[in-house]
Amino acid sequence: MMNDFLEAQELLKNISKDQSTYETNEALKTIKRYNEELYLQTLKSFDTYTLANIATITPEHILEDILEHLSIIKIAKAVEELESDDATDLIKRFEELNPQKTLAILNRLSSEDKEEILRLKNYDENTAGAYMQTEIFTASIDESIEKAIKRYRILKHSGQVDQIFQVYIIDNQGKLCNAINLSDLLLWDFKLSFADIIKNNSEKYKSYSIKDYEDIQKAIDIVEDYDLSVLAVINDDGVLLGRITYDDIHDLIQENATEQIYNLAGVDADVEEESAFKAAKARAFWLMINLTTSLISANIISLFSGEIEKLVALAILMPIVASMGGNTGSQALAVTVRKLSLNEVEFKDAKKVILRESGISLLNGFIFAIIMSIIAFIWFKTALLGLVIALSMLINLALAGFVGSFVPLTLKKFKIDPAVGSSVVITAITDGLGFFSFLLLAKMILL
Amino acid sequence: MMNDFLEAQELLKNISKDQSTYETNEALKTIKRYNEELYLQTLKSFDTYTLANIATITPEHILEDILEHLSIIKIAKAVEELESDDATDLIKRFEELNPQKTLAILNRLSSEDKEEILRLKNYDENTAGAYMQTEIFTASIDESIEKAIKRYRILKHSGQVDQIFQVYIIDNQGKLCNAINLSDLLLWDFKLSFADIIKNNSEKYKSYSIKDYEDIQKAIDIVEDYDLSVLAVINDDGVLLGRITYDDIHDLIQENATEQIYNLAGVDADVEEESAFKAAKARAFWLMINLTTSLISANIISLFSGEIEKLVALAILMPIVASMGGNTGSQALAVTVRKLSLNEVEFKDAKKVILRESGISLLNGFIFAIIMSIIAFIWFKTALLGLVIALSMLINLALAGFVGSFVPLTLKKFKIDPAVGSSVVITAITDGLGFFSFLLLAKMILL
């Protein structure tokens, strides 16, 4: 284990600008585990650039240390190193930890940066505006390429813009008209104006954009559909406000996927980075709901106590029906949730999806009804028991496919994340129905 | 439902170059459902550019129709519209459907394109080489920017390169030395040579690369760690072979996430696009494994038939212990699988992860042991039954966290995808252990 520590120490000794922030952060976390003093010393030794990048991805407890142990001046300088979207995110996270210090940091920023962050902070979490950077490069249609390049050099050398992919052509009201890749400028005579080069290339230099208040999910869809590296953000009047870049889209895709996987398993992605205690508390919430639905199932079983006492085989076989139903439901759920999130399915396709999922599960219901009836017959030498388990297996599996697709589609219809809570609902139904159908059929047919 | 059809028809009437391929494909699928003849007519009417893009994403049955109903000359022209990586993928898919026609298509390509595709086809599915495009723009270090731009214009106008982000500086053995964003060239005097501008900017113009036989997952990691838009692919000697671009990385991230979600639920991502019958067959495989493990659990229960006959409360309560264990295990599994896939956890962190997951589940084990013992006591008025369920809940939940993290970490150690099959294994353990511990403790303490 000490190797971790030595490696981490080595890595943090020489931090260059192209060191992976992820690795630096991991090393920092390792150092903290072994030696608090060295950790604080390391934290203080970071230049503002490294500090800024670490702060964007580091867990809450290290952010707390930054607020506590570093000067407001240094933190403010680090914030200024970041692009507007990352700076805003960081300020939001600081604010949750210590609103007063965050205000002091904000007051240390240039009035321009401060205003920008305060404006961006107002966007709702899931809107395109919340993810946009305001560092963009614009030109008017009458400007010559040459003049624009001169301005670009100045902006770039002064550090006002960093990674620029496109020049946005705007009209005199600031409305977005076209977008031209900077590398495309190399193809033209620099004496030409933008109007000259757009004239016969309006399709090619068309701009892709999203409105600032629209769902960020829509931005992901546009970027993926058209393989864009950058997407413009405009307001309702078409005025250019900023851009969303491919690296933010990468992060969003990963975050969405993590959230889906966690939600389907009853885990809250936001707290998993925190202490084991907080994670346990969040997971206990879903376990509590599962306990409640399990108690309902137990109550269903208790309705048939007499039957179980008469024929203990029922207690032995009933979990099989419930388990197979739960599995079939989870399959339908995973497929439906994922297709919904990838926009491969919309609500108007609901009927088609439900029919397909029910069909698949009905088909498997038939197969496993037959298999299980044979096993039950061989095991307990009772033909009617085979019939009972076959029928309940068929009913439970067919319905598992139906609820596995119906539940997420319905949640989506009511704008609720279909990955959250669906699993618990579906297992509750397949468990309850599995026990109930099996025991009721046994009571009717066997006893 | 007919609205679908009319919308689809409308959309396919006027296809422009910037139409979303995804939408065109969806419309085509809709048309096929309603009117086979119109569908074939539409398929034949596509220009080679649209055809090529559709073919890269369309399901197998439409690819079959393309092979059957379109001329080899047209298909070959469509293949030539694609960049080398996409062209290779398409040829591979064609080959699975009809090797002879595919050979005929290959023979229709320019010998250069054919050779390229045959070379790329040889890469293993999960290597960086399998995802690279070979359309790149290179320059030697002594070349002036001006001369390079002239060459770039020619390449671009002749259609030999399409989307180019960087100029790669290579030495006279073809080894990759530096990478410069094309837009960065705008910052320099074009009379300068690349050597001049690299001299004091070696960090900035450093190239990021991956070897062609390395795992594509590593490419995703590098792109994410350094927020790259493009990553060079080199061979063992450092010779530049091609590049992987951000849009391929997007697709890979989405595909990985879909696979993980599907695998965790016992669904095979590859066949879900196919007919319901094929999907049902693939899902039945996992259901069969689940049936086997359920039968093992049933056998465990049957060992305690006598106890259940004596005290039917055992049959009523035992599914609760199993279900809570299953849920706890799934939580630990989802977190571990996801962290492994995001490289947030490696095998050397195994001890830490297992300790954390076991700690979380032990904590929740305590909480739910207490809650459940109270419920059992109130329900059945037997203090010892409360003790039995408390102890078995504690054992099962604590172990669920352990196996939920241990199983995926072990699979990863043996280079098996930790998302595949883990769920079934973990549910088998938590079910079996849940029933066994509860019934055995009941036998020992209660009866």
Side-chain angles (χ1 to χ4, degrees):
Chain A
M1 271 293 189
M2 277 308 274
N3 274 345
D4 282 24
F5 179 63
L6 296 176
E7 263 177 41
Q9 239 187 317
E10 195 52 45
L11 191 142
L12 289 178
K13 236 182 242 164
N14 295 299
I15 297 178
S16 70
K17 279 229 173 184
D18 65 296
Q19 168 81 45
S20 150
T21 305
Y22 177 73
E23 279 174 20
T24 314
N25 185 43
E26 287 303 300
L28 192 66
K29 277 155 72 181
T30 306
I31 299 272
K32 187 175 180 182
R33 273 206 306 282
Y34 287 100
N35 185 334
E36 179 82 17
E37 204 179 323
L38 178 62
Y39 154 74
L40 285 177
Q41 205 180 303
T42 311
L43 202 57
K44 283 177 189 162
S45 75
F46 285 151
D47 58 280
T48 53
Y49 179 85
T50 306
L51 181 64
N53 281 304
I54 289 288
T56 58
I57 61 161
T58 211
E60 206 174 283
H61 61 96
I62 293 185
L63 276 195
E64 276 172 12
D65 294 335
I66 290 175
L67 280 177
E68 192 175 337
H69 297 283
L70 302 188
S71 74
I72 287 184
I73 298 173
K74 181 155 186 183
I75 301 175
K77 270 188 189 148
V79 171
E80 282 186 330
E81 293 272 4
L82 294 170
E83 277 173 337
S84 48
D85 56 339
D86 293 329
T88 308
D89 283 344
L90 185 55
I91 287 290
K92 276 195 208 159
R93 291 183 72 202
F94 278 148
E95 209 163 37
E96 277 172 26
L97 299 172
N98 189 333
Q100 268 185 312
K101 272 213 172 152
T102 309
L103 193 63
I105 293 166
L106 271 172
N107 287 332
R108 272 272 159 196
L109 302 178
S110 74
S111 64
E112 201 182 326
D113 283 355
K114 183 182 161 186
E115 219 168 89
E116 198 68 29
I117 289 172
L118 291 177
R119 196 167 64 82
L120 291 176
K121 257 181 59 187
N122 279 330
Y123 281 109
D124 266 352
E125 203 186 341
N126 293 317
T127 61
Y131 289 88
M132 78 179 174
Q133 298 167 0
T134 52
E135 291 82 1
I136 44 177
F137 176 50
T138 59
S140 74
I141 191 138
D142 300 322
E143 195 172 13
S144 72
I145 298 177
E146 197 166 37
K147 258 177 97 176
I149 291 175
K150 258 185 208 149
R151 282 193 303 112
Y152 173 62
R153 287 182 182 176
I154 294 167
L155 285 171
K156 188 96 179 173
H157 286 135
S158 69
Q160 286 178 73
V161 298
D162 182 19
Q163 281 260 67
I164 291 292
F165 307 95
Q166 299 190 306
V167 48
Y168 288 115
I169 311 301
I170 53 175
D171 69 12
N172 41 25
Q173 272 110 52
K175 286 187 195 167
L176 177 63
C177 305
N178 296 86
I180 304 173
N181 285 336
L182 282 187
S183 59
D184 255 48
L185 298 183
L186 296 174
L187 300 172
W188 300 99
D189 180 347
F190 290 176
K191 301 274 179 237
L192 293 174
S193 72
F194 289 112
D196 296 330
I197 72 170
I198 290 167
K199 203 164 46 194
N200 295 314
N201 293 284
S202 56
E203 264 307 316
K204 194 173 164 194
Y205 295 143
K206 155 180 176 169
S207 63
Y208 291 90
S209 61
I210 185 170
K211 300 225 166 97
D212 56 346
Y213 57 80
E214 287 186 293
D215 195 324
I216 185 67
Q217 192 56 46
K218 195 180 161 191
I220 300 180
D221 297 342
I222 299 174
V223 165
E224 293 202 317
D225 273 359
Y226 300 100
D227 282 348
L228 306 179
S229 56
V230 58
L231 178 66
V233 181
I234 58 176
N235 71 9
D236 237 350
D237 300 323
V239 172
L240 180 65
L241 301 174
R243 61 168 189 176
I244 297 173
T245 52
Y246 64 88
D247 47 325
D248 290 326
I249 297 288
H250 278 308
D251 294 346
L252 277 164
I253 294 175
Q254 290 283 34
E255 275 170 32
N256 282 351
T258 304
E259 263 185 29
Q260 269 163 33
I261 292 170
Y262 281 14
N263 286 336
L264 283 170
V267 174
D268 184 343
D270 291 339
V271 297
E272 280 301 321
E273 295 303 308
E274 306 298 326
S275 69
F277 186 77
K278 281 193 186 170
K281 205 173 124 190
R283 293 194 202 174
F285 170 78
W286 289 107
L287 291 176
M288 192 65 225
I289 293 179
N290 185 59
L291 182 65
T292 312
T293 69
S294 296
L295 283 168
I296 296 172
S297 291
N299 262 294
I300 291 173
I301 299 171
S302 75
L303 297 175
F304 301 93
S305 301
E307 284 70 27
I308 295 171
E309 272 173 342
K310 271 183 240 161
L311 187 61
V312 78
L314 299 181
I316 294 170
L317 293 177
M318 66 182 188
I320 297 178
V321 181
S323 165
M324 291 296 282
N327 254 272
T328 305
S330 301
Q331 290 177 331
L333 174 66
V335 172
T336 309
V337 162
R338 192 61 188 154
K339 287 195 170 169
L340 278 169
S341 89
L342 293 177
N343 283 322
E344 288 177 12
V345 154
E346 287 166 47
F347 192 75
K348 64 174 171 127
D349 311 315
K351 212 166 124 188
K352 203 173 77 189
V353 175
I354 294 174
L355 275 177
R356 181 182 160 103
E357 289 303 326
S358 304
I360 291 176
S361 62
L362 184 67
L363 200 61
N364 282 332
F366 268 112
I367 295 167
F368 289 98
I370 295 168
I371 296 175
M372 200 49 224
S373 66
I374 297 170
I375 294 174
F377 175 65
I378 295 173
W379 193 349
F380 296 98
K381 307 279 181 299
T382 320
L384 283 179
L385 187 61
L387 177 67
V388 165
I389 202 163
L391 284 176
S392 71
M393 185 78 93
L394 186 61
I395 293 169
N396 202 24
L397 262 63
L399 265 154
F402 173 77
V403 295
S405 50
F406 180 79
V407 169
L409 281 162
T410 309
L411 290 175
K412 179 80 176 184
K413 175 78 184 172
F414 291 106
K415 305 214 183 275
I416 301 169
D417 184 340
V420 177
S422 293
S423 281
V424 177
V425 174
I426 285 155
T427 326
I429 296 174
T430 52
D431 272 6
L433 189 75
F435 294 133
F436 184 72
S437 64
F438 179 65
L439 294 170
L440 184 69
L441 285 166
K443 187 177 178 171
M444 284 162 48
I445 297 176
L446 270 176
L447 298 163
Chain B
M1 267 294 187
M2 277 308 275
N3 273 345
D4 282 26
F5 179 62
L6 296 177
E7 261 176 42
Q9 237 187 318
E10 195 52 43
L11 192 140
L12 290 178
K13 236 181 244 165
N14 296 298
I15 296 176
S16 69
K17 278 226 174 183
D18 63 295
Q19 169 80 45
S20 150
T21 304
Y22 176 72
E23 280 174 19
T24 313
N25 185 43
E26 287 303 301
L28 192 65
K29 278 155 71 181
T30 307
I31 299 272
K32 187 175 180 183
R33 273 206 307 282
Y34 287 100
N35 185 334
E36 180 81 16
E37 204 179 323
L38 178 62
Y39 154 74
L40 285 177
Q41 205 181 306
T42 310
L43 201 58
K44 285 177 190 163
S45 75
F46 285 151
D47 58 282
T48 52
Y49 179 86
T50 307
L51 181 65
N53 282 303
I54 289 288
T56 57
I57 63 162
T58 211
E60 206 173 283
H61 61 95
I62 293 185
L63 276 195
E64 277 172 10
D65 295 334
I66 290 175
L67 281 177
E68 192 176 336
H69 298 282
L70 301 189
S71 74
I72 289 188
I73 298 173
K74 181 154 186 183
I75 301 175
K77 271 190 188 144
V79 171
E80 282 186 331
E81 293 271 4
L82 294 170
E83 278 175 333
S84 49
D85 56 339
D86 293 330
T88 309
D89 283 344
L90 185 56
I91 288 289
K92 275 195 208 158
R93 293 184 71 202
F94 278 148
E95 211 164 36
E96 278 173 24
L97 299 172
N98 188 334
Q100 268 186 311
K101 274 216 169 144
T102 309
L103 193 62
I105 294 166
L106 272 172
N107 287 333
R108 273 272 158 192
L109 302 178
S110 74
S111 63
E112 199 182 325
D113 282 356
K114 183 182 162 185
E115 219 169 87
E116 198 66 30
I117 289 173
L118 291 177
R119 195 167 64 81
L120 291 176
K121 258 182 60 187
N122 280 329
Y123 281 109
D124 266 352
E125 202 186 342
N126 293 315
T127 60
Y131 289 89
M132 78 180 174
Q133 298 166 0
T134 52
E135 291 81 1
I136 44 178
F137 177 51
T138 58
S140 76
I141 192 137
D142 301 320
E143 195 172 12
S144 72
I145 297 177
E146 196 167 35
K147 256 177 99 177
I149 291 176
K150 259 185 207 149
R151 282 195 304 110
Y152 173 61
R153 287 182 181 176
I154 294 166
L155 286 172
K156 187 94 180 174
H157 286 136
S158 69
Q160 286 178 75
V161 298
D162 182 20
Q163 281 261 67
I164 291 291
F165 306 95
Q166 299 190 306
V167 50
Y168 289 115
I169 310 300
I170 53 175
D171 70 12
N172 43 25
Q173 273 110 52
K175 284 187 196 166
L176 176 62
C177 305
N178 295 87
I180 305 174
N181 285 335
L182 282 188
S183 60
D184 255 48
L185 298 183
L186 297 174
L187 299 173
W188 300 97
D189 180 348
F190 290 178
K191 303 273 179 235
L192 293 174
S193 74
F194 289 111
D196 296 328
I197 72 171
I198 289 167
K199 204 164 45 197
N200 296 313
N201 293 284
S202 56
E203 265 305 319
K204 194 172 162 193
Y205 296 142
K206 154 179 178 173
S207 63
Y208 292 89
S209 61
I210 184 167
K211 299 222 167 100
D212 57 343
Y213 56 79
E214 286 187 294
D215 196 323
I216 185 67
Q217 192 57 47
K218 195 179 164 193
I220 300 180
D221 297 342
I222 299 173
V223 165
E224 293 203 320
D225 273 359
Y226 299 100
D227 283 347
L228 306 179
S229 56
V230 57
L231 178 67
V233 181
I234 57 176
N235 71 9
D236 237 350
D237 301 321
V239 173
L240 181 64
L241 303 174
R243 62 167 188 174
I244 297 173
T245 51
Y246 64 89
D247 48 324
D248 290 326
I249 298 288
H250 278 308
D251 294 346
L252 278 164
I253 294 174
Q254 290 283 34
E255 274 169 33
N256 283 351
T258 303
E259 263 184 29
Q260 269 164 32
I261 291 171
Y262 281 15
N263 286 336
L264 282 170
V267 175
D268 184 342
D270 291 339
V271 296
E272 279 301 321
E273 295 302 308
E274 306 298 326
S275 69
F277 186 78
K278 280 192 186 170
K281 205 174 126 190
R283 293 194 203 174
F285 171 77
W286 289 108
L287 291 176
M288 193 66 225
I289 294 178
N290 185 60
L291 181 65
T292 312
T293 67
S294 296
L295 284 167
I296 297 171
S297 292
N299 263 293
I300 292 173
I301 298 170
S302 75
L303 297 175
F304 300 94
S305 300
E307 284 71 25
I308 293 172
E309 272 174 342
K310 271 184 241 159
L311 188 62
V312 78
L314 299 181
I316 294 170
L317 292 176
M318 67 181 187
I320 297 177
V321 181
S323 166
M324 292 295 284
N327 254 270
T328 306
S330 299
Q331 290 177 331
L333 175 66
V335 172
T336 309
V337 162
R338 191 62 189 155
K339 287 194 170 168
L340 278 168
S341 90
L342 293 178
N343 284 322
E344 287 176 13
V345 152
E346 286 166 48
F347 192 76
K348 64 172 171 127
D349 312 315
K351 212 166 124 188
K352 202 175 76 189
V353 174
I354 293 172
L355 275 176
R356 180 181 158 104
E357 288 303 326
S358 304
I360 290 176
S361 63
L362 184 67
L363 199 60
N364 283 332
F366 269 113
I367 294 167
F368 289 98
I370 294 169
I371 295 175
M372 199 50 223
S373 68
I374 295 170
I375 293 174
F377 175 65
I378 294 173
W379 193 349
F380 296 99
K381 309 278 180 299
T382 319
L384 281 179
L385 186 61
L387 177 67
V388 165
I389 202 162
L391 284 175
S392 71
M393 186 79 91
L394 185 62
I395 293 170
N396 202 25
L397 262 62
L399 264 153
F402 173 78
V403 295
S405 50
F406 180 79
V407 169
L409 281 161
T410 309
L411 289 176
K412 179 82 178 184
K413 176 78 186 170
F414 292 105
K415 303 211 185 277
I416 301 169
D417 184 340
V420 178
S422 292
S423 281
V424 177
V425 175
I426 284 154
T427 324
I429 297 173
T430 52
D431 271 6
L433 188 76
F435 294 133
F436 185 71
S437 64
F438 179 65
L439 294 169
L440 184 69
L441 285 166
K443 187 177 180 172
M444 286 162 46
I445 297 176
L446 269 176
L447 298 163

